[in-house]
Structure formats: C-alpha cells, structure tokens
Amino acid sequence: MALGKYSRVDGRKSSNYCSTVTIVVFVALCLVGVWMMTSSSVVPEQNLDLSSQGKKNDLSTQVTEGKESYNGGNESNNKAGDEGNPTDEGKSKQFEDTLGDLPEDATKGDALVSQEENHSNPQQTESTSEVKQEEKSTEQKEDAGESESETQSEKATDDSDDKKEDGPNKVDDKDSEAGEKNENKSVGEEIKEGSDEKKSVENSVDQEVGQGSDENADGEKKDQSSSAVFSSGTQSDLLNETTTQNGAFLTQASESKNEKEMQKSSGSDKENSYIWKLCNSTAGPDYIPCLDNLEAIRNLRSTKHYEHRERHCPDNPPTCLVPLPEGYQHSVEWPMSREKIWYHNVPHTKLAEIKGHQNWVKVSGEYLTFPGGGTQFKHGALHYIDFIQQSFPEIAWGKQTRVILDVGCGVASFGGYLFERDVLAMSLAPKDEHEAQVQFALERGIPAISAVMGTKRLPFPSRVFDVVHCARCRVPWHIEGGKLLLELNRVLRPGGLFVWSATPVYQKLPEDVEIWEAMQKLTNAMCWELVSKTKDRVNGVGVAVYRKPTSNECYEHRSKDAPPICQGSDDPNAAWNVPLQACMHKAPVTPSERGSQWPEPWPARLSKSPYWLLSSQVGVYGKPAPEDFTADYEHWKHVVTNSYLNGMGINWSTVRNVMDMRAIYGGFAAALRDLNVWVMNVVSVDAPDTLPIIYERGLFGIYHDWCESFSTYPRSYDLVHADHLFSKIKTKCGLPAIVAEVDRILRPGGKLIVRDKEETITELESMLKSMQYEINMTYSKDKEGLLYCQKTMWRPKDVETLTYAIA
C-alpha cells in the first residue's frame, strides 16, 4: 500500500535530515523504477515477480480467484460456473507444471469458457498488461515523497482492489491471447459446421453407410441400437454421434493430419484429373450408344426381323458426354408433365404432324401438349381404361392387376393414366420412324424403354406380368409360327391376360378378317381362352381379352403339338441376348413353384414375402430367403425414412423418374411407395437373379449389363441410386465409362446417390467434380461411404467424334 502522501509517521515531526534522505531515496527509487519498467518489455511476463518456487505455489492457489476478477462484471456467473466445474483443480495443476511455457492445449479450457467475455471486453488484455507494469513500480515506492503522491494515489486505489490479481492476471493475460486464438478457431469450426449442414443426414447415415446392401440385411439389431441413439433428436445427440475426439472439438494434431491428407488428396486429384469431351454423333443430343451404332447396323445381313432396332453395342463403351438440346430447361414437374412438356427438351414435331389428329401430341407455343388420347382412345385414356374393366371386371385394376407390359406404347398415355388406377405399366416401343415416342413418355414422367420384339427375348423374367396390352401396336403376332406372341406367353403370368385392341378385333376389312382368323387359330393352339370381346361405342374400337392357362391339361390334350412345348433344358428365365424360340413352356404345377399361384392383391404383395421363397433357400445376404427379404425391406425403409426423405435436403417434388442400378429385392423402390415416383429396378446380369421377386411384390424392373449403355434416351431420370455397384464392376468395365453412362441418363438437376466402399466414393467424387457436379454431401465411416450430388448444365467444349455413330 502506498503511504507516501503522509508527512508524519508514528506522531513524530519530520526533520530536514529526514526530508533530505527522503528526497535522495525518492530519486533513487525513481531511477530504479524507470530501469525496471524499461527492462519489463524484455523479461517474459510470466517470470515477473516469481523469484522463488514458493511464489509459484502461491500463484497456483490463486487461479480460481484470478478467474473471478478476470471476468469483471460477469463475476457471479463465473463463480457459479466454477463451482460446477470439477476440472478446475486439474487446470491449476496444468498451469503449475508448465508455467514457463504453456502449450495451447493447456489454455484451451479456460479460453473457451471465457471467450464470450473476451469478445464483449476487447480491451481487457491491454489494460491487464498496463496494470501489471504499473503495479511493480508502485510496490517499490511505498515510502515515496509528496511530489509523487497524487499520481500514485490513483494507482493505489486500483491496486487495493486488484492486488490479488497480480499473479493470476499474468496467466490470464496469456489465456486471453489463447482465447482470441480459440475464438478465431471457433469461427472456423462454425464454418465447418455450416458446411456440415449438407451432412445433417450423417446421424442416420452413421447407422447405415457402413453396412451397404451386402452387409445390411442382417442388421436388424444395428437398426435397433441406431434408432435408440436418434430417438430424442437433440443437438447433444448429434454431437455425441458425429465426434470422436475431445467432444465437439478436434485436436491440433488431428486438424493438421486432416489438412495434410486433404492437400495430398488435392494434389493427387490434379495429377489424376479427368478430361471429358462432348460426343459427336449423328443422333446428337438423343444418342443411345447401343441403338445408334450405325456402323454395326450397316453391316447387318438382314433387317427383316427388326434387327436394326435391336441393341448393337460398340466394342468400347463411350466415355464422352452427350450434348444438351439447345434451349434445354428443367423438366416440368409431375403431374403437370403428363399434360405438357417443354418443346426444347424434346424438339421433335414429326409425331405431332402425323398423329396430331389422333390426340397423341400437339405443339402449343413453347410446349408439346398431350390431350390424353391415342389411336385407340381419342376421347381419353381414362375412358378407355375403365371400358376395359367394364368389359372384363376380373381385371380389377390396382388390386388383381398391378404390373403390366404395354407393347407399342406410342407416347405412353395409357401407362400414364393407369397411375390413376394404382397400376404400373412398363411401356415398350422401338426407336423408329415414330420419332422419339419413348423420349416423349419419359419426359412426361411415364415409365418406358426403347426395345423391339425382333429376334431376341425381352429382358424380363418369365411369368411376371399380370397383363400384356397392345393397342394397335403394329406387331405381326400371327406370323412365323407365332414366335412373337409366344414371347408374350413367356413373360405373362399363368392366368394373366392379353388385352388386344387392334383393328382386326373390330373391323371387317379383308386384311383385318384374315389376321383375326389367324390369331384365333394361334391362340387356340396356345390354349389361350378368349374371355371377352366388346366394342366401345364412344371410341368406336373393340377390345379382345385372352387368358393364359394355369395348368398343363390343355397342352396335353392338343391334337397337334404346334406350337411345340419347349425342351426341359430350356430355361424360361434366361433373357439376356437369348434368341427367340417358337415354343411354349409348361405351366408350373408344384405349389411351391413360382407361378403356380396368383400373388397377393395389391398392396399386400408389396411387403409380404413371396410364397415360393422357402426357408430352406439361402438369400442374397446369407439368411433364409424369407428372412433375407424382410430384413432388406426393413433396412431400406429405415434408410429412406431417416436419410433420403428427412436428412439430405432432397426436394422430392422435383423427382419423378427413379432408377435403382442395383435393386436386389426392390427394397429401395418399395420404401418410396408413398411418393409420386416410379422406380426402374435394374438387376445386373452377373448378379443373383432376384428380378422375379421384384415383380412378385408389384414392382417392375429389367435385366442389364452395366458394361453397356442402357436402352433409354439421354436425360431420362431425375434420380439414380447405386448401392455398392461401382466397386463391383469398375475393374470389369472401367469407371469412366460407367460414370459417363450415368451422366447420359441423368437429367440436369438430377440427383445421384451412391453408397459404396470409401475408396470408390473418393474416386467417384473426384471424377464427378471434374464434370462440374454439385457435391452436396460425402460421408464415410468404417471404410464405407455415401455420396450425394447433382448434375449441372455444364458440358465440355472439346469434341470426340464417334465414327461408328456417324451416318
């Protein structure tokens, strides 16, 4: 305490001698004080006034008190916080042991506690340093004379309040600097959290991504434990689930390691950058590699059986990107897309000129409109659909009948309006002179593929369609022993219906009569029963309905074996590049054999394991087949509900056409049932043949080899989903070619969701970034990863000419 302003001590008067001594001492002390103040800028703050080890101990006992003073006006709040903080003693020991050289980690705890106060008192650090320097001078001047008293009295007032802070403030001064550092670091972490908003799905993905389809079906217990973690949905749950080091904060070591790895990865990305080019072909924006191989088509010996409309894939799949039509816009959303689409997205008017009077399609300004009619239903598809059910009520749209094949579909209005009756229609038509009819269908949001009934089997299993429909489909069913109609017989379910509304059914022209008689002879020989033949007075068309037999009794009592029964070695399910045969397969009779019973009515068939999946059979994931089926369904319901619908920020109103590139049991499609979407389930030709299961549950799909292009137009799908597909086939096919094909079938603005091994996800992310895709989310755990991104309008400028695709 400074007492220099008092002239009397202990009641005695001062003498001249004392005054002289006092002045001398004062001058000396001032010089010493000036020297000490000058040298304080060189000596480290933390060593000031700590001349002995005992003072170190004193300092360590004052840390908590120092905190109280350091926080100024928030003293009471911090006291309450200190009382509830059991780690303060540990922090004191940290300071005590490493006082001369505090590591950043040692100051983190306090700095994080007080960074809010530092932020609100930005001058705290400077004032604390000044007080410390002034305190040292004051303590040496307790006996100073009157000339210094006024200046020192002001400091003494502060000193009397702050004397206790001397040691702690030196430490807290360093803490405040650390606090500033941590405040900046906190901002960085907030930025990181901002970017992680894209990754809000992590909390549900954490449960699923490491499993994949192969690993997940046996994960019921995993799902249960995961759901327990996320039951409350609180922020603390999120932090507990997503962090593994020091709560919500990374260590410097891990941050540095991550940065080094990122820089290394970035460097390797530059080394392995992908260069994309634009495909130059005669088909231009409508290029389908396996249907536009003009060189192979020119070398065909014959086109009599539509060989030129079949698939002829190039030896090396293209790795270039298909251009966009000029003026392309994001597709009109469903259900408005059923009525109209952007003209510039499918800029073809030939069909409107040829079929406009039949209400197929019309040009209306910047739109192409679809009045809902067709050659056989000029007054609307819904009227035609209801007329069929009135003619044969057993068809029971949406209950007994769920999955149908529409052959020669035109612009697919029939299939488009069957959605109103809860029916899925696989629409099929060739890429022929009816310019872009399948492309119109897909742009409208209606399922369709480009295919032809030529010399090969359709890429579907046997006995899967409830109904096959042909409305003036221009297919010569009756010729060459009925080979084409026998292919329909192969894919039609026993007891299934063939609905035919071509002109031979209701017109009496000589050619029509001849075809009708030939069809009657053929269908009788095939044991098909004509169950209904009626004419619609409104549309002026007739409909004939045939039913396929459910037993072999008729086959056995035929007078002639024509068409013949296929040999027992012939597999009716073999459908990939298999030549057509003019024979029939026997109906299944064993109760446990697929096709011996009609499926459960829709929608019960969606979730119920097919009757012909037996517990003695081993499923794809290693469980008994019925359990495998159920586990897969539960898994995908969980993934879709917790991740895809609620966590990834997908605007599902913009999604209509969906493809699952590796469907297995169709669980992903089944989980999307309540949305206004349809899913093309693809089963690879080298994967377990589970496609019949998909059809049995009221869904549809197709066989395909992903080393070749898919039989669809560019820009067909709004969302493509691939679960552990790329890692399985990239060594066989080459990843760039597969990615280029995905880009071809995906619309600009379309979504790609990939679940795969971590190294494959990393490779895909680099490749997609080079294609200017928007990477919305990547996530990895336990060497498994998830990638969600969107295609943009970007197209490369360099061009690659495909000589085999040039006319």
Side-chain angles (χ1 to χ4, degrees), residues 103-116 118 174-190 249-252 255:
E104 186 179 7
D105 282 351
T107 64
K108 257 183 190 176
D110 286 341
L112 289 171
V113 170
S114 61
Q115 64 178 281
E116 227 177 29
N118 285 341
K174 187 157 183 92
D175 279 356
S176 67
E177 295 174 4
E180 290 176 359
K181 291 180 181 178
N182 277 285
E183 184 176 343
N184 292 335
K185 181 179 175 182
S186 178
V187 171
E189 291 178 350
E190 288 174 5
F249 304 97
L250 295 174
T251 64
Q252 180 59 226
E255 287 179 324

Side-chain angles (χ1 to χ4, degrees), residues 342-383:
W342 294 112
Y343 165 76
H344 289 292
N345 288 11
V346 191
H348 301 295
T349 59
K350 184 177 179 180
L351 197 60
E353 295 168 2
I354 298 173
K355 297 290 186 179
H357 67 286
Q358 296 177 348
N359 281 343
W360 277 37
V361 56
K362 296 182 178 181
V363 180
S364 301
E366 60 185 351
Y367 293 102
L368 292 170
T369 60
F370 302 86
T375 306
Q376 299 299 92
F377 34 95
K378 298 176 185 178
H379 296 280
L382 275 177
H383 171 81

Side-chain angles (χ1 to χ4, degrees), residues 268-280:
S268 65
D269 286 348
K270 292 178 182 178
E271 293 174 5
N272 299 317
S273 59
Y274 300 93
I275 299 176
W276 301 98
K277 295 184 178 181
L278 207 62
C279 297
N280 177 25

Side-chain angles (χ1 to χ4, degrees), residues 85 142 145 157 163 221 328 411 463 477 544 758 775 804:
N85 189 350
E142 290 181 352
T157 303
K163 180 122 185 193
K221 290 185 180 179
Y328 182 88
V411 295
R463 308 188 297 268
W477 302 115
E758 185 177 8
I775 308 299
Y804 56 82

Side-chain angles (χ1 to χ4, degrees), residues 45 128-136 169-170 173:
E45 288 181 4
T128 304
S129 180
E130 291 173 4
V131 168
K132 283 193 269 186
Q133 293 176 2
E134 291 173 0
E135 279 180 328
K136 294 305 295 182
N169 268 343
K170 292 181 182 104
D173 181 45

Side-chain angles (χ1 to χ4, degrees), residues 658-679:
V658 179
M659 174 182 283
D660 190 358
M661 297 180 70
R662 183 171 177 262
I664 311 294
Y665 296 122
F668 169 66
L672 295 176
R673 178 210 162 188
D674 293 333
L675 301 182
N676 280 324
V677 302
W678 58 269
V679 181

Side-chain angles (χ1 to χ4, degrees), residues 402-406 412 414-416 418-419 423-428 446-448 465 678 680 700:
R402 166 61 181 176
V403 184
I404 78 165
L405 177 65
D406 186 18
F414 179 66
L418 275 172
F419 282 108
V423 175
L424 276 180
M426 174 76 77
S427 300
L428 177 151
I446 302 170
F465 288 104
W678 58 269
M680 180 66 73
F700 60 23

Side-chain angles (χ1 to χ4, degrees), residues 388-554:
I388 293 173
Q389 177 149 326
Q390 292 169 7
S391 303
F392 189 67
E394 291 181 34
I395 203 167
W397 297 124
K399 295 180 181 178
Q400 178 82 352
T401 299
R402 166 61 181 176
V403 184
I404 78 165
L405 177 65
D406 186 18
V407 180
C409 62
V411 295
S413 290
F414 179 66
Y417 283 91
L418 275 172
F419 282 108
E420 300 287 333
R421 301 294 181 260
D422 222 358
V423 175
L424 276 180
M426 174 76 77
S427 300
L428 177 151
K431 187 177 184 182
D432 62 4
E433 65 274 7
H434 280 173
E435 188 182 39
Q437 53 187 330
V438 167
Q439 192 175 19
F440 283 135
L442 290 163
E443 186 69 19
R444 296 175 69 190
I446 302 170
I449 61 168
S450 289
V452 65
M453 298 196 69
T455 65
K456 298 176 182 178
R457 288 179 177 177
L458 296 172
F460 310 120
S462 67
R463 308 188 297 268
V464 291
F465 288 104
D466 303 333
V467 169
V468 176
H469 173 260
C470 164
R472 205 169 182 175
C473 54
R474 302 175 62 195
V475 178
W477 302 115
H478 59 290
I479 66 172
E480 298 184 343
K483 184 181 291 187
L484 299 181
L485 195 62
L486 290 169
E487 173 61 6
L488 294 190
N489 186 75
R490 183 186 71 86
V491 300
L492 190 60
R493 190 182 300 280
L497 304 174
F498 175 56
V499 179
W500 188 36
S501 64
T503 54
V505 175
Y506 57 91
Q507 289 187 358
K508 300 301 180 181
L509 297 175
E511 182 182 5
D512 292 324
V513 172
E514 182 181 348
I515 294 174
W516 173 256
E517 290 176 352
M519 279 290 287
Q520 283 296 94
K521 182 179 179 180
L522 176 61
T523 54
N524 286 333
M526 293 171 58
C527 296
W528 281 14
E529 178 187 3
L530 179 61
V531 294
S532 173
K533 182 184 178 184
T534 54
K535 187 172 182 178
D536 179 16
R537 295 179 180 178
V538 176
N539 282 322
V541 300
V543 175
V545 181
Y546 296 88
R547 177 152 51 195
K548 179 180 176 179
T550 57
S551 71
N552 296 312
E553 183 179 358
C554 175

